[in-house]
Amino acid sequence: MISYIAKRIASILPSLFAVLTALFFVLRVVPGGPFDADRKLPPEVERSLRDYYDLSAPVYIQYKNWLVRLIVHQDLGPTFRYGGRSVNEIIRLSLPYSAQLGFFAALLALGIGIPLGVYAATKHNTVKDHAAMAVAMTGVSIPRFVLAPLLILIFSLKLYIFPVARWETWRHMVLPVICAGLPLAAYIARLSRTGM
């Protein structure tokens, strides 16, 4: 089992390297840069910033330095949007919340999707089966950017049941978990029905 996992990870690495390399060069080719903003910087300030962040060097030198920082030091570099912070710091701060959201959304998706798919499979080609699959198709069809505002409008702004923002208690987690888990539950229900 461990050798299988190691082989799978080893087979992913070349693809990951190719995607990262392509992304690096695409970001260098597209117009614009990190210092383009509403307010134009004086040329000497922009030149100083480009030298500081190693953006004045030839592209192959930038690529070599970027690979060394990424592979050897696991440094994803600075973020220009949130001044004074690194990408690693932002990931370190937000990863625990994203992991909690993903875990609870997966639990919700499995808790709804598997029973719904099994129920639909046991009532194969009946009205109950079609109703269960219609519910699943509705879950797949509604995009998250539509579902999230609807949930906020109904449960936060009209009924005042759940808070709109933050991540502190279980009440803060309900709406994001539902929004992330329901479309996945619909996919799992369809797969469970087919598997049964």
Side-chain angles (χ1 to χ4, degrees), residues 108-120:
L108 177 72
L110 292 172
I112 293 173
I114 291 176
L116 186 63
V118 170
Y119 177 77

Side-chain angles (χ1 to χ4, degrees), residues 18-155:
V19 167
L20 288 174
T21 300
L23 182 63
F24 177 86
F25 286 108
V26 165
L27 288 175
R28 294 307 185 271
V29 170
V30 296
F35 309 115
D36 296 342
D38 297 334
R39 199 176 51 192
K40 185 75 174 151
L41 293 173
E44 58 275 359
V45 172
E46 186 171 344
R47 190 168 36 256
S48 174
L49 285 170
R50 291 182 69 78
D51 289 340
Y52 179 76
Y53 288 112
D54 199 26
L55 297 174
S56 298
V59 175
Y60 66 91
I61 299 290
Q62 292 180 40
Y63 181 66
K64 178 188 71 79
N65 294 341
W66 176 75
L67 275 181
V68 167
R69 279 196 316 270
L70 181 66
I71 294 171
V72 176
H73 304 292
Q74 290 83 39
D75 180 15
L76 295 172
T79 174
F80 298 108
R81 178 166 294 196
Y82 307 105
R85 301 174 89 178
S86 70
V87 174
N88 289 13
E89 181 183 355
I90 291 172
I91 290 174
R92 187 175 57 251
L93 291 173
S94 59
L95 185 63
Y97 303 109
S98 297
Q100 285 179 353
L101 175 62
F103 175 75
F104 290 124
L107 282 181
L108 177 72
L110 292 172
I112 293 173
I114 291 176
L116 186 63
V118 170
Y119 177 77
T122 58
K123 308 294 183 187
H124 187 63
N125 283 336
T126 64
V127 174
K128 294 176 181 177
D129 174 26
H130 296 305
M133 286 302 100
V135 169
M137 285 306 297
T138 304
V140 171
S141 302
I142 299 175
R144 288 185 175 111
F145 64 84
V146 172
L147 181 61
L150 283 175
L151 290 174
I152 290 170
L153 181 68
I154 294 168
F155 294 105

